[in-house]
Amino acid sequence: AEQMEPDPSKKTLVILGTGWGSVSLLKKLDTENYNVIVISPRNYFLFTPLLPSCTTGMIEHRSIMEPIRNILRHKKATVKFYEAEATKIDHEKRVVYISDDSEVKGEISHTEVPFDMLVIGVGAENATFGIEGVRENSCFLKEVDDAQKIRKSIMDCVETAMFKDQAPEEVKRLLHTVVVGGGPTGVEFAGELQDFFNADLKKWIPDIKENFHVTLVEALPNVLPMFSKQLIDYTESTFKEESITIRTKTMVKKVTDKHIEAEVTRPDGTKEREIIPYGLLVWATGNAVRPVVRDLMSKIPAQKNSRRGLAVNEYLVVNGTENIWAVGDCAVANYAPTAQVASQEGTFLAHLLNSMAKAETIENELKRLSDVQAQAKSEEDRNAALGEIRECQRQLRRIKQIGPFQYSHQGSLAYIGKERAVADISWWAGNIASGGTLTYLFWRSAYLSMCFSTRNRVLVAFDWTKALLFGRDVSRE
Ligand code: FAD
Ligand code: NAD
């Protein structure tokens, strides 16, 4: 039944975030058990695996966004959504402080939301390691805005390089894209950009041919550390064919508006500083803890030794609390910060919360039945009540049997450009490591099938077809 106002007999469950963790939870949550409130500055879910393709217009960003309102309207009981950022969590008072940070603000833009139970799925922010100049000068690749900014900047650099009387050195700088971070984000972006150049840019603007260049900078000795050696080699050789330069053992130390300063470790172990000019700088060095999470961690003694996020137990309960859970990139459960982990955690938590609600209903029923039994007038009534009590106890035991969270790794998959992808897939018989065009077709179909909705799938398929027929759109919005 539709329920418009909070039901005072139910607990209030507040869910922070509309990313992989929170949305997977919402998908499977029986919302009629709780007064559910979702809070996120983003009123949509974003299918991040295809975000790198949005930077070149291969895919239009709206094709991988799904409005949260559309997800919520299909739930059995009403779920409230507030487009706001949680700025502070008071775990003792059981209150979340929220703030509307969007452009349009009403008379009230800051308020507080009390909760009985809280799920934190706010993800992470971009790591910069405090390196000077990063925030001011580079583009990140995490949100839709970031992808749009990169898409604009690519064309801005190209058109500026083509400006009348531009000096050759300056043309070279403007057409040089530096990507910092050789994790999957950096690798996928570098591949997409080089594809864009090969398939479209160099045909439309042949004058940039000689100078367009992509460099991927990585501090460690190799890129894609989570993949097997064979696939790392395959990626590196594909990049070589594509003429993307990989600079490993190169750690960026400082960034200015026109160049990066890096510390390069030479084969003999000596280190030297190098200045690398760039036109576009994309920064993809992984995750850092969000301030709201850091603040909460600092207030809970049990979180003292945790650095990378909220330490949780095997049921995803935030250590040091009893009514707060965390999922995804903001939680530390000894898994990599991936969509795969976040979505499995969200699904697990939905089952857990559904079971908890069921258990509570049965416990209340048990209380009622034991009263019935105590007040029974005849032996027969007493036995009948006892029978029901036993049945309830059996049900309760079954429900409470829910085991701890266990992650099941389906494999790693990444696009590396040139219509090639790499995959480390766990199969029942062992692991399969594969790279190449077939893997690319697998990558495409896997990501298509993982899209949130049929609408998203159709839009993405259209975008791919459109790019194939007409090329990517190079107009700068
Ligand atoms: P997110 O999905 O980041 O969601 C966090 C949510 O919290 C967002 O809705 C955000 O708006 C909201 N939020 C932020 N701050 C607040 C606040 N203060 N209060 C309330 N809400 C807040 N993983 C894979 O497994 N496979 C891939 O192919 C893959 N590709 C990726 C490609 C890119 C370009 C990127 C950036 C990541 C990719 N990942 C991939 C990683 C994956 O996206 C993350 O691990 C995943 O998004 C984590 O889910 P999450 O729910 O923890 O956080
Ligand atoms: P990452 O943490 O995986 O990689 C960041 C890289 O940046 C590291 O290799 C690190 O050595 C390097 N780095 C850090 N500081 C540097 C510096 N100053 N100079 C040079 N290099 C530096 O980050 P990511 O690629 O953004 O990925 C984040 C998470 O999202 C990961 O868990 C990843 O698995 C996941 N993800 C998965 C996919 C996929 O499966 N296709 C795609 C994107 C992201």
Side-chain angles (χ1 to χ4, degrees):
E2 278 281 298
Q3 163 213 324
M4 298 310 290
E5 281 310 307
D7 178 344
S9 72
K10 290 178 185 169
K11 287 187 171 150
T12 298
L13 169 64
V14 171
I15 300 173
L16 303 182
T18 47
W20 278 98
S22 301
V23 166
S24 307
L25 161 66
L26 277 166
K27 260 205 240 174
K28 292 277 156 62
L29 184 72
D30 294 336
T31 49
E32 61 274 35
N33 293 328
Y34 302 98
N35 295 313
V36 183
I37 299 174
V38 178
I39 299 164
S40 175
R42 208 171 76 183
N43 78 344
Y44 55 87
F45 166 76
L46 176 67
F47 186 76
T48 48
L50 287 175
L51 192 62
S53 303
C54 295
T55 60
T56 63
M58 182 65 160
I59 286 178
E60 296 294 338
H61 58 273
R62 283 190 177 265
S63 305
I64 57 167
M65 292 158 67
E66 183 67 22
I68 191 73
R69 299 286 184 180
N70 194 28
I71 299 170
L72 296 184
R73 80 191 174 100
H74 289 109
K75 299 307 289 186
K76 262 199 187 149
T78 311
V79 175
K80 280 210 158 43
F81 173 72
Y82 301 130
E83 191 188 74
E85 196 173 309
T87 50
K88 214 174 100 185
I89 298 165
D90 190 328
H91 69 293
E92 278 165 348
K93 267 170 71 189
R94 303 195 166 186
V95 175
V96 178
Y97 297 87
I98 66 169
S99 152
D100 175 2
D101 282 346
S102 64
E103 262 170 45
V104 179
K105 288 187 186 58
E107 266 168 26
I108 288 186
S109 58
H110 301 273
T111 187
E112 46 184 83
V113 181
F115 64 83
D116 296 307
M117 300 154 95
L118 176 70
V119 176
I120 308 177
V122 297
E125 60 175 31
N126 296 292
T128 64
F129 307 102
I131 296 169
E132 195 185 323
V134 175
R135 273 192 201 286
E136 300 82 332
N137 300 301
S138 55
C139 297
F140 297 115
L141 181 48
K142 194 167 190 66
E143 300 289 345
V144 164
D145 290 353
D146 300 330
Q148 281 174 296
K149 184 174 164 198
I150 294 176
R151 189 175 173 184
K152 251 188 206 169
S153 305
I154 295 170
M155 288 322 296
D156 205 357
C157 284
V158 169
E159 300 297 4
T160 306
M162 294 296 98
F163 193 75
K164 189 170 179 296
D165 303 334
Q166 205 73 271
E169 272 307 298
E170 187 66 347
V171 172
K172 214 168 159 181
R173 177 184 73 82
L174 287 163
L175 293 176
H176 185 210
T177 297
V178 171
V179 184
V180 183
T185 304
V187 166
E188 289 188 326
F189 170 68
E192 293 276 357
L193 181 57
Q194 190 67 33
D195 278 1
F196 182 25
F197 171 72
N198 286 330
D200 302 309
L201 281 178
K202 75 174 176 201
K203 289 186 207 143
W204 296 41
I205 315 152
D207 286 350
I208 66 172
K209 231 177 188 162
E210 297 309 312
N211 292 307
F212 187 91
H213 196 73
V214 181
T215 301
L216 181 67
V217 176
E218 166 59 56
L220 297 175
N222 58 267
V223 298
L224 292 182
M226 65 288 291
F227 283 85
S228 54
K229 173 85 175 60
Q230 179 197 344
L231 293 180
I232 291 172
D233 292 346
Y234 183 76
T235 306
E236 292 185 350
S237 71
T238 298
F239 270 27
K240 209 171 200 169
E241 281 174 43
E242 287 180 286
S243 63
I244 297 172
T245 305
I246 298 184
R247 298 286 308 265
T248 52
K249 297 188 185 170
T250 305
M251 185 184 273
V252 179
K253 293 282 188 185
K254 190 181 162 191
V255 171
T256 72
D257 59 346
K258 293 198 172 80
H259 65 252
I260 59 168
E261 271 180 56
E263 188 182 83
V264 187
T265 310
R266 298 281 167 218
D268 64 5
T270 57
K271 291 186 163 86
E272 61 184 68
R273 281 259 173 168
E274 192 178 324
I275 288 184
I276 306 173
Y278 71 83
L280 170 64
L281 179 64
V282 173
W283 193 267
T285 62
N287 292 345
V289 181
R290 284 198 193 280
V292 63
V293 172
R294 195 188 307 281
D295 176 67
L296 177 63
M297 284 163 67
S298 72
K299 287 192 219 127
I300 304 175
Q303 297 288 333
K304 204 178 72 203
N305 296 322
S306 191
R307 291 282 164 275
R308 285 177 300 120
L310 288 159
V312 294
N313 73 10
E314 69 270 38
Y315 288 89
L316 307 180
V317 178
V318 172
N319 290 346
T321 73
E322 51 185 38
N323 57 337
I324 304 181
W325 290 260
V327 290
D329 287 1
C330 67
V332 181
N334 287 328
Y335 304 110
T338 65
Q340 226 183 116
V341 170
S343 68
Q344 288 183 29
E345 288 178 341
T347 306
F348 168 83
L349 202 51
H351 290 310
L352 189 77
L353 294 173
N354 292 345
S355 301
M356 281 169 64
K358 263 189 222 136
E360 206 175 305
T361 312
I362 296 174
E363 270 159 5
N364 289 337
E365 178 65 6
L366 267 175
K367 264 187 221 127
R368 191 188 66 82
L369 284 170
S370 62
D371 287 349
V372 170
Q373 195 205 7
Q375 286 155 17
K377 300 247 159 45
S378 68
E379 186 70 18
E380 208 178 317
D381 286 355
R382 212 179 344 263
N383 283 342
L386 198 64
E388 282 185 61
I389 288 177
R390 293 218 171 99
E391 176 53 30
C392 280
Q393 285 169 335
R394 230 187 334 268
Q395 282 181 16
L396 203 57
R397 268 197 301 277
R398 215 189 44 236
I399 287 171
K400 286 192 166 171
Q401 252 169 16
I402 190 160
F405 172 69
Q406 269 173 334
Y407 171 61
S408 134
H409 186 60
Q410 306 295 307
S412 309
L413 193 59
Y415 180 62
I416 59 171
K418 215 169 180 245
E419 306 203 338
R420 290 177 189 179
V422 287
D424 269 318
I425 310 281
S426 8
W427 218 256
W428 60 275
N431 289 326
I432 297 182
S434 83
T437 307
L438 257 183
T439 315
Y440 167 68
L441 292 175
F442 172 71
W443 173 83
R444 275 205 163 179
S445 51
Y447 279 14
L448 203 56
S449 74
M450 282 189 277
C451 278
F452 187 84
S453 60
T454 310
R455 188 184 71 94
N456 283 161
R457 273 189 281 279
V458 170
L459 292 175
V460 168
F462 269 150
D463 289 345
W464 278 337
T465 316
K466 200 175 73 183
L468 189 72
L469 294 177
F470 308 112
R472 300 164 183 77
D473 186 351
V474 300
S475 33
R476 190 170 71 84
E477 277 176 88

